[in-house]
């Protein structure tokens, strides 16, 4: 499988089918969040129908998610045609997986052609969800909007229902995943203190094929070190503060720039 994005240049790792089968229940539970944000596996529809649109088959959404849905007896929609909003007309659709580009394009459908489904759940990932886009999606598509944080190396490790604006920045860590915020020495930090985020590697992934240096940097002590800064709040939710390398020095202190940019975007209602 291939990865791109957070770690820089594209890399390849190997994960066997046994790993996918072993984690299918945990990944299935990620699709079964109840309306109050709690987790209940029994709420997952008996025959889920999950629309992954046209994600590449080398990605986690394009490969691991369909494998898990199929293993639970569900159906996966892989839509490669024009007018992607037509794929929402498929009967019994229970979930749709979006990123910024696919959701923005979906909402540009001609008036009257966009189907609203009040029982469907939208799961949004691959970057922050702008507030204005969230409001439009809930108005036009479904009230059931969730954000997730995931990587091909680790799978999904947060799932958060969007009921208010704070839910766009404060994330609920999936209870089956060990996520920690640590200091420079790898020691876990208490709520309120920021540090590096690391995620336990439960998918059998231990490194990158043919890249020992990247493996040494990102995979250590049974954890994937994503290079993200974060802080746990007292209620257990996790806030991402940006990349470790993307900070500015103010009076000798290191300040992450992403929260500042996000606040300006929301204040100015800009993407």
């Amino acid at each position: 499988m291939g990865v791109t994005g957070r770690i820089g240049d594209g890399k390849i790792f190997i994960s066997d089918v046994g790993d996918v089968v072993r984690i299918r229940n945990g990944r299935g539970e990620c699709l079964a969040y109840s309306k109050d944000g709690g987790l209940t596996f029994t709420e997952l529809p008996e025959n889920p129908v999950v629309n992954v649109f046209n994600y590449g088959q080398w990605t986690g959404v394009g490969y691991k998610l369909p494998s898990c849905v199929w293993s639970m007896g569900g159906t996966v929609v892989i839509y490669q045609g024009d007018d992607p909003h037509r794929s929402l007309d498929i009967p019994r659709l229970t979930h749709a997986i979006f990123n910024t580009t696919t959701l923005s394009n979906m909402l540009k459908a001609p008036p009257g052609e966009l189907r609203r489904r009040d029982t469907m759940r939208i799961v949004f990932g691959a970057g922050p969800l702008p507030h204005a886009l969230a409001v439009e999606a809930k108005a036009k598509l479904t009230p059931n909007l969730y954000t997730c944080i995931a990587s091909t190396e680790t799978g999904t490790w947060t799932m958060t229902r969007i009921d208010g604006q704070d839910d766009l920045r404060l994330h609920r860590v999936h209870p089956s995943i060990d996520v920690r915020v640590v200091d420079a020495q790898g020691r876990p930090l208490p709520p309120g203190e920021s540090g590096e985020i690391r995620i336990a590697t439960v998918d059998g992934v231990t490194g990158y094929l043919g890249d020992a240096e990247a493996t040494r940097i990102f995979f250590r002590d049974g954890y994937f070190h994503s290079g993200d800064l974060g802080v746990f709040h007292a209620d257990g939710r996790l806030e991402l503060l940006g990349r470790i390398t993307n900070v500015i020095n103010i009076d000798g202190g290191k300040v992450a720039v992403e929260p500042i940019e996000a606040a300006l975007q929301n204040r100015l209602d800009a993407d």
Side-chain angles (χ1 to χ4, degrees):
M1 293 183 65
V3 299
T4 60
R6 308 197 70 76
I7 61 169
D9 296 335
K11 306 215 180 329
I12 297 173
F13 69 83
I14 298 174
S15 182
D16 63 39
V17 173
D19 292 322
V20 174
V21 173
R22 179 173 57 82
I23 65 167
R24 69 180 182 272
N25 285 342
R27 292 299 171 266
E29 288 177 348
C30 285
L31 297 176
Y33 262 71
S34 64
K35 291 182 179 180
D36 62 2
L39 180 70
T40 165
F41 182 72
T42 57
E43 197 175 3
L44 186 66
E46 182 178 356
N47 297 299
V49 180
V50 181
N51 190 347
V52 299
F53 297 99
N54 195 21
Y55 276 90
Q57 299 304 295
W58 49 269
T59 66
V61 173
Y63 171 67
K64 285 200 288 187
L65 179 56
S67 299
C68 293
V69 173
W70 286 325
S71 73
M72 294 184 293
T75 300
V76 176
V77 177
I78 301 174
Y79 191 85
Q80 298 177 311
D82 296 329
D83 300 326
H85 63 278
R86 300 291 187 191
S87 66
L88 297 184
D89 295 333
I90 292 172
R92 299 186 296 106
L93 194 65
T94 61
H95 298 77
I97 314 300
F98 286 98
N99 58 33
T100 301
T101 300
T102 55
L103 184 56
S104 296
N105 290 339
M106 180 70 65
L107 294 172
K108 295 176 183 176
E113 293 191 12
L114 193 59
R115 178 167 180 171
R116 179 178 176 85
R117 289 176 177 265
D118 286 337
T119 59
M120 180 180 67
R121 297 174 185 177
I122 286 178
V123 181
F124 181 94
L129 174 59
H131 178 248
L133 195 60
V135 170
E136 187 177 4
K138 295 187 77 168
K140 293 182 177 180
L141 295 175
T142 179
N144 306 308
L145 178 61
Y146 298 78
T147 60
C148 73
I149 303 176
S151 69
T152 308
E153 292 90 342
T154 63
T156 300
W157 47 278
T158 77
M159 185 70 71
T160 308
R161 181 180 171 89
I162 306 302
D163 290 316
Q165 192 164 344
D166 278 351
D167 297 323
L168 294 171
R169 65 181 184 87
L170 301 178
H171 307 278
R172 297 182 184 275
V173 174
H174 192 272
S176 71
I177 308 297
D178 179 7
V179 178
R180 304 185 184 188
V181 174
V182 300
D183 63 16
Q185 286 73 45
R187 297 173 298 198
L189 293 169
E193 294 190 26
S194 62
E196 181 184 11
I197 297 173
R198 69 181 187 185
I199 308 102
T201 52
V202 299
D203 290 9
V205 178
T206 58
Y208 299 114
L209 183 65
D211 197 330
E213 179 63 13
T215 297
R216 183 187 65 80
I217 293 172
F218 292 102
F219 292 88
R220 304 194 301 273
D221 304 320
Y223 288 87
F224 173 64
H225 292 250
S226 67
D228 293 305
L229 284 172
V231 59
F232 275 109
H233 289 249
D235 63 359
R237 293 195 290 177
L238 177 68
E239 181 176 5
L240 269 62
L241 301 176
R243 302 291 290 169
I244 290 177
T245 55
N246 196 12
V247 297
I248 55 177
N249 192 314
I250 300 178
D251 292 332
K254 303 295 185 182
V255 178
V257 300
E258 270 86 350
I260 299 173
E261 293 174 348
L264 288 172
Q265 285 179 331
N266 287 328
R267 179 66 63 87
L268 300 174
D269 197 21
D271 294 336

